[in-house]
Structure formats: structure tokens, C-alpha cells
Amino acid sequence: MIHLPTELLSTTTSPYPFMRWAMDIVGPMPPSKQKRYLLIMTDYFTKWVDAESYATIRTPDVQKFFLEWIGPSVERRIQHLDVETDIVSCMPQNIYKSNTLVSLKLVAVGLETPNSDVSLPCLKIFPLEHILYDDDSLTLEKLISGCSVLEDFTMIRQTYTPGTVMLSLRMRSQSLKSFRLTFEYTMEGADFSVEIDAPKLKYLSFKDKQSDKIVIKNLSSLLKIDIDTEFHAKYGDALDPKERMKRYTISDFLTGISNVKHMIISQRTVEVCYIVCSLSIFNPIPIFDNLYRLQAASCSYMLQLLPIFLESCPNLKDLVLDCFVSTEPELTELSYVPQCLLSSLESFEIRGLSMDEETGKKLVRYFLENSVLLKKLILRFKDYSIPNYDSDILKGIRTFTKRSHKCQIIIH
């Protein structure tokens, strides 16, 4: 152990009584009436201790002790509860009824279908991570329907094993303001679907690599979205004709979020949008009238799509591009100029530039020569290739024509 590298220590805190506990096994100790082990639960905040003695410690003993503790803890009218364990098959039923819980975090536990109506009238913050569900989507639907003031919901979906993960996720809430969904696993032979209906939703993080069907409804209040999904589409240069319904799914998804003001979009999602663009006669990209800030990731060969996508953002003010090196051909010269460059764009930032890439130079030239109102052009180079003032790339940039005389070039 003495040869292990040092690490920064972090403090585990608990701002409320009975919110976070530590479980420890003590023993073996000198026998007393054949009991040699102690199972101890300690509250981080009050240091209150609950303990039980055993002759031997087995998994069922730990599960029973844990469940006997957590049930009464909920009945103590606690406001905050954080449960993270892989030893409990299912949480007790009284977790579904609490008049005081404000935040509830469950990680790697099981949830049975509620025996009766769920009543969590004060619950506002609700993260669920790697949960095993007893009855597919019914459990979650009942759970969400009983949270009348829920504002912040996070769901990290469990790896697929038959009978342990829901195939259909329906998030319907009249109070929800923030929703984070992560489903990164790739698996064949199972059809997953997601439906989101939340009229007050302001923030959506959608990182779903698996779902085939995605339905978006009533997101008129959406302010910010972080998208990282490929809609489980199978494509090369174009979507397979058999995947025509997938095109409609993608187009309907984009239409459902078209009121957003701030968008972060991953490279794989940009690639899917490229497919939609190439088939725009059937499923055109909707107009994002309210979008003022866009952050997109792309490699060089996908940048040809950029003006086409920007044409759907007529009022864009801030654009950030995260560029990745690819083996594909470099960007050809861009000629088409979207409306936002002529009437609204004020800031353009390129991240991940390299000294030996022509793509970055072409992008810089394109935006300098065509952006009427541009105030800032920010160039962020890779750490190993930050140019000095007299480098060839900066000499070249200084010779480019600036359509906006107020534009400042900032280099990091």
C-alpha cells in the first residue's frame, strides 16, 4: 500500500440528519453468547448508531438489517435520503409514501411495483441510477405520477438483462423543470422507447445510445438542451430505406425541441442530422427561431454541413465548434452563407485547433469574410500547438478580410 500513488482526499458530507449513513461490519471479536460480529449503521450528521450482533454475517442478514433500518428512517419524517447499495433486492414499500421527503437518491437498488397510490407531495429532487424494476415501466409511471412538485429528475438506465430493465420509459410530469437521461449501453435484440411530456421543462440532457423510438411532447418552455444520441440509427452514407420511420423519429424529435434557446450537440448527433439534411426533401430540419447559442462537436468532413444547419438558426448569436481530427478529406471551401451570419452572429469560437490543419484556417476565413456583426473570434488551440505571434497560421489570419471591423481575434 505504501507504494500506491497519492490521491486527493474528498470529504463526505451530510447536511441533514438521517440523510447519509455508513454501514460497517466489526469482527470477529471474542465470542459472547456465540455472537462474534457487529453490523453497525452510523448517521453522518448526528453520529447516532444502530447495531446488531451476529454469530456469522451472511448477505441475507445484511439485507434484513438494512431494510429494517430504512423503513423506520422514512417514517422519521426525514427530508433528504441518499441510498446507494448493491445488497438490497428491493426497497421497502413505505418509500412510496412520505409527506416530508424533498430529495431522494437511489443507486443500484430494486424497486417493486407500488401496492397502492404513490404519495410524495414534497419531493423535488429525484436521481435514479442503475435501478432494477419489478414491473417494467409501470413502476416508474406510478412513482412519477405521485410526485406532484417534482422539479429535478435524473435517470441513468441499467444495463439490459431480461426482466431487469424497462423497455419503455414514459416521463410525464406537469412540474418537472430539469431532466437528465443517460442510457449508454449498446445491445441488440431489444426495442427501447422514450416519451417525454413535460410542459414546464427548462433543461434536458438527453444521452441515449439505445432507444429506437423517441417521442417529444409539450416542451415549449425548454431553454437548454444537451443532446448526445444517434437514435439507434443504422447508416452509412444514407439511412437504409427500411429505416424511413427512423427519419420521421429524428425529424419529429428536432421539431419537438425547436423552441430551445441554448443547444449543445454531440458529433454523433450532428452526423445523424447530416443524414436528415441529405434527405431534407422528405424531412427538413425545423427552424430554431429562439436559438441564440449553439455548441456543436464535429470532425472536418462534417463541417460541410455547417452552413445548411445554421440556415435553421436565423437568430443565432453565439457559436462554439469543438473540432476533432479525422482521416477524412479536409474541408472544401464553403460558399453558401446562412442568414445568421448576415444579421445576428456576434461570437464564434473554435476549439481543438491544430497548427498543421487547413480546416481551421478555412473556417476562420469563412466566418471573418461573411459575418456582418461579428464581435469576437476565439481560437482555442490544442495544448501542444499554441502558436506564437509570428507563426505562419497567425500571419495568414491577419491577412484575411474582416467584414465586421469591430471583430476582435482572441487566441488561447
Side-chain angles (χ1 to χ4, degrees):
M1 294 293 290
I2 62 174
H3 298 294
L4 292 177
T6 58
E7 294 183 1
L8 292 175
L9 298 177
S10 59
T11 303
T12 302
T13 61
S14 179
Y16 306 99
F18 307 111
M19 177 184 176
R20 184 172 287 115
W21 293 68
M23 177 185 287
D24 294 296
I25 297 175
V26 180
M29 299 183 297
S32 174
K33 296 182 180 181
Q34 298 183 341
K35 302 294 181 69
R36 302 188 62 191
Y37 295 90
L38 285 176
L39 189 54
I40 300 174
M41 295 282 286
T42 306
D43 175 35
Y44 274 95
F45 186 87
T46 65
K47 309 306 179 185
W48 185 82
V49 175
D50 192 3
E52 189 71 38
S53 60
Y54 299 87
T56 59
I57 291 286
R58 300 170 302 167
T59 298
D61 298 321
V62 178
Q63 291 176 339
K64 182 174 181 293
F65 179 78
F66 185 85
L67 290 174
E68 288 178 347
W69 163 82
I70 201 166
S73 294
V74 174
E75 294 172 358
R76 290 190 183 105
R77 301 180 64 80
I78 58 176
Q79 292 185 317
H80 307 271
L81 181 62
D82 186 342
V83 180
E84 182 172 353
T85 176
D86 56 3
I87 63 170
V88 178
S89 56
C90 282
M91 296 291 288
Q93 284 283 329
N94 71 341
I95 197 73
Y96 300 127
K97 292 186 181 293
S98 170
N99 292 325
T100 57
L101 272 175
V102 176
S103 68
L104 173 62
K105 181 178 181 180
L106 302 178
V107 180
V109 299
L111 286 178
E112 295 179 320
T113 302
N115 294 333
S116 59
D117 291 339
V118 175
S119 179
L120 297 168
C122 295
L123 191 65
K124 293 185 177 182
I125 303 172
F126 193 10
L128 292 177
E129 301 180 16
H130 307 300
I131 302 297
L132 303 179
Y133 297 93
D134 178 49
D135 188 10
D136 199 36
S137 60
L138 182 60
T139 301
L140 185 63
E141 283 193 60
K142 280 192 172 183
L143 193 51
I144 298 301
S145 66
C147 304
S148 57
V149 297
L150 184 63
E151 295 182 356
D152 191 325
F153 182 69
T154 299
M155 186 174 188
I156 301 177
R157 299 183 74 173
Q158 171 69 29
T159 307
Y160 178 65
T161 304
T164 63
V165 65
M166 65 175 62
L167 299 178
S168 177
L169 167 61
R170 287 187 286 271
M171 170 51 62
R172 299 169 179 169
S173 173
Q174 296 297 310
S175 60
L176 193 65
K177 296 180 179 179
S178 176
F179 180 31
R180 299 170 183 85
L181 173 64
T182 301
F183 193 17
E184 283 292 325
Y185 305 101
T186 301
M187 56 204 74
E188 300 296 333
D191 295 328
F192 293 86
S193 65
V194 176
E195 179 183 326
I196 304 173
D197 185 348
K200 293 185 179 179
L201 194 68
K202 296 183 181 298
Y203 173 72
L204 173 61
S205 174
F206 191 84
K207 302 184 178 182
D208 186 339
K209 195 175 181 179
Q210 183 63 45
S211 295
D212 297 89
K213 183 179 180 181
I214 302 170
V215 178
I216 299 293
K217 298 179 180 178
N218 300 322
L219 296 191
S220 57
S221 298
L222 193 63
L223 298 178
K224 182 178 180 180
I225 187 169
D226 187 349
I227 321 170
D228 184 12
T229 181
E230 54 192 9
F231 302 92
H232 206 213
K234 300 175 182 178
Y235 57 88
D237 294 330
L239 287 173
D240 190 299
K242 296 179 181 179
E243 294 281 304
R244 178 170 295 182
M245 291 306 298
K246 188 62 63 69
R247 294 185 219 146
Y248 289 109
T249 295
I250 297 169
S251 181
D252 289 346
F253 176 87
L254 294 175
T255 300
I257 64 169
S258 59
N259 284 314
V260 72
K261 295 184 177 181
H262 181 182
M263 180 190 297
I264 302 172
I265 186 169
S266 71
Q267 178 176 336
R268 62 182 181 179
T269 308
V270 169
E271 290 177 359
V272 174
C273 289
Y274 173 77
I275 302 300
V276 175
C277 282
S278 66
L279 302 169
S280 59
I281 186 174
F282 302 108
N283 309 97
I285 289 183
I287 301 299
F288 292 86
D289 276 321
N290 298 326
L291 191 66
Y292 71 87
R293 180 174 174 83
L294 173 64
Q295 180 177 336
S298 182
C299 53
S300 56
Y301 79 98
M302 293 301 304
L303 290 172
Q304 203 69 38
L305 164 68
L306 185 61
I308 302 173
F309 190 83
L310 291 181
E311 185 60 36
S312 300
C313 314
N315 299 306
L316 190 68
K317 289 184 177 295
D318 299 313
L319 174 62
V320 179
L321 281 182
D322 293 304
C323 296
F324 296 96
V325 177
S326 71
T327 57
E328 301 292 334
E330 291 285 345
L331 175 70
T332 58
E333 295 293 340
L334 299 174
S335 57
Y336 178 72
V337 180
Q339 179 61 37
C340 63
L341 269 66
L342 302 175
S343 61
S344 62
L345 190 68
E346 296 179 354
S347 175
F348 175 50
E349 178 178 343
I350 314 178
R351 298 174 179 174
L353 284 175
S354 177
M355 289 284 291
D356 55 356
E357 290 179 5
E358 287 296 320
T359 295
K361 296 179 184 178
K362 291 177 181 178
L363 275 176
V364 170
R365 179 192 293 271
Y366 172 76
F367 277 90
L368 283 177
E369 292 182 350
N370 294 291
S371 301
V372 176
L373 302 179
L374 196 64
K375 296 178 180 179
K376 289 190 299 184
L377 175 66
I378 303 173
L379 307 178
R380 295 189 183 273
F381 288 82
K382 297 173 184 176
D383 291 340
Y384 61 83
S385 63
I386 300 177
N388 58 48
Y389 184 79
D390 294 323
S391 64
D392 291 339
I393 188 171
L394 291 189
K395 288 180 180 177
I397 290 175
R398 289 197 293 270
T399 65
F400 295 162
T401 301
K402 292 194 296 184
R403 190 163 183 180
S404 171
H405 298 294
K406 296 181 179 180
C407 180
Q408 292 182 324
I409 300 177
I410 302 171
I411 298 175
H412 292 281

